[in-house]
Amino acid sequence: MLILARKPGEAIAIGDGIKIRVLEIKGGQVKIGIEAPAEVMVHREEIYLRIVEENIRAAAEAPADLSSLVSVFGDDKTRNKPPLTGGR
Amino acid sequence: MQAMAQTTCTKNKKQGEITIRTSRFGEMSIDPEKIITMTSPFLGFSGSKRFVVKPHGKKSPFFWLQSLDEPKLAFVCIQADILVPQYQPEISNLIRLELQASPQQALDILLVLTIPKDNIEGMTANLMGPVAINPQKRLAKQVLQDPVSYDACWPVFTQDTAE
């Protein structure tokens, strides 16, 4: 891994299109500004990993037969209602 | 004998359909016009860019997104508004641009379901990573949402009935 020291206001250029700038350091937190082309996805790592994990689980467990699912799903009163944010 | 590393696409004589090989459904004949292309792949599955929708049945709200590039890869999905009518994922104009959709154009929003094998009622929907599809261009993308607003494994059924 390449390790560089930067002060607030200083930046790192990656290739032609990506710039990562340290904006502020305060209370154990670093604020970072990122400029990147639209097609480059930029996400907090934990969100990215969460989606990877959930995609892998969904793909691994996807059953080939869904018929039992339909009967369960038809029973509307057991269906969940808001909130849309959950435990994890 | 197992041959699952490769998807074979062979031309079929009738009406330009192609045959794909899948792990779950064996060989499937599909219309090439119906292939959906991911503008960026599902996270964790960078080898799969092309999918087809395989409906579960006329009365069923479920369907599979079956990969053409990885025979083993299929997601069970449901249209978001059927499951969660109040769900309003944020789809930015940049993402619309990527999907070649105008700002007004309606996009299909799908939710990927995780269905535990031995506990169907433990089913969850990934509200944090919905799939937006431009049905006209057949372009799709998994669009990450704010984790504060949306859960990646939102329980479809209430806890007390899941038992």
Side-chain angles (χ1 to χ4, degrees):
Chain A
M1 189 191 289
L2 172 66
I3 298 171
L4 303 168
R6 301 277 64 191
K7 292 177 182 149
E10 293 180 340
I12 294 163
I14 300 175
D16 255 351
I18 301 175
K19 255 185 221 160
I20 297 172
R21 189 175 301 278
V22 177
L23 300 177
E24 188 186 290
I25 303 172
K26 203 166 76 181
Q29 234 186 10
V30 183
K31 217 173 252 177
I32 293 170
I34 298 155
E35 286 172 49
E39 67 271 17
V40 176
M41 290 199 297
V42 179
H43 297 292
R44 292 178 179 88
E45 186 186 36
E46 63 272 22
I47 297 173
Y48 172 87
L49 292 175
R50 186 73 193 85
I51 297 292
V52 169
E53 178 199 7
E54 200 53 36
N55 282 348
I56 288 173
R57 280 206 321 135
E61 303 196 359
D65 179 16
L66 300 181
S67 25
S68 49
L69 232 123
V70 178
S71 52
V72 175
F73 193 76
D75 187 5
D76 192 60
K77 60 181 184 296
T78 67
R79 293 263 303 285
N80 205 352
K81 301 294 181 282
L84 303 182
T85 51
R88 307 177 29 155
Chain B
M1 275 283 290
Q2 282 198 320
M4 47 196 190
Q6 281 192 324
T7 304
T8 50
C9 291
T10 46
K11 277 271 175 196
N12 200 331
K13 276 167 202 149
K14 97 176 170 196
Q15 296 178 332
E17 284 198 334
I18 58 170
T19 303
I20 63 163
R21 184 173 297 162
T22 70
S23 302
R24 281 180 184 73
F25 313 110
E27 289 194 345
M28 284 171 61
S29 287
I30 58 159
D31 179 351
E33 304 263 297
K34 297 207 165 151
I35 294 172
I36 292 169
T37 305
M38 305 295 292
T39 56
S40 54
F42 280 95
L43 298 182
F45 295 95
S46 55
S48 276
K49 291 210 96 173
R50 300 172 307 152
F51 286 82
V52 282
V53 169
K54 178 174 162 52
H56 169 233
K58 282 206 183 90
K59 288 187 176 170
S60 168
F62 302 102
F63 51 85
W64 291 270
L65 269 183
Q66 169 67 51
S67 166
L68 269 63
D69 301 308
E70 283 177 69
K72 274 166 64 177
L73 180 59
F75 296 104
V76 179
C77 295
I78 190 166
Q79 212 157 307
D81 51 5
I82 292 179
L83 188 65
V84 203
Q86 72 275 32
Y87 181 57
Q88 301 253 308
E90 195 191 313
I91 312 288
S92 70
N93 284 336
L94 267 177
I95 285 166
R96 286 184 163 273
L97 208 63
E98 189 174 327
L99 296 173
Q100 298 179 27
S102 66
Q104 298 80 18
Q105 194 185 326
L107 300 171
D108 289 338
I109 305 293
L110 309 184
L111 296 174
V112 178
L113 300 172
T114 301
I115 305 164
K117 279 196 181 66
D118 305 319
N119 176 22
I120 284 176
E121 303 199 352
M123 181 198 313
T124 58
N126 186 348
L127 303 186
M128 205 202 282
V131 181
I133 300 181
N134 177 350
Q136 279 155 35
K137 301 278 181 182
R138 311 202 72 80
L139 293 174
K141 181 184 173 77
Q142 188 172 31
V143 185
L144 268 54
Q145 302 294 308
D146 180 358
V148 175
S149 310
Y150 295 117
D151 193 357
C153 50
W154 182 75
V156 171
F157 299 98
T158 44
Q159 301 297 333
D160 50 322
T161 53
E163 202 185 349

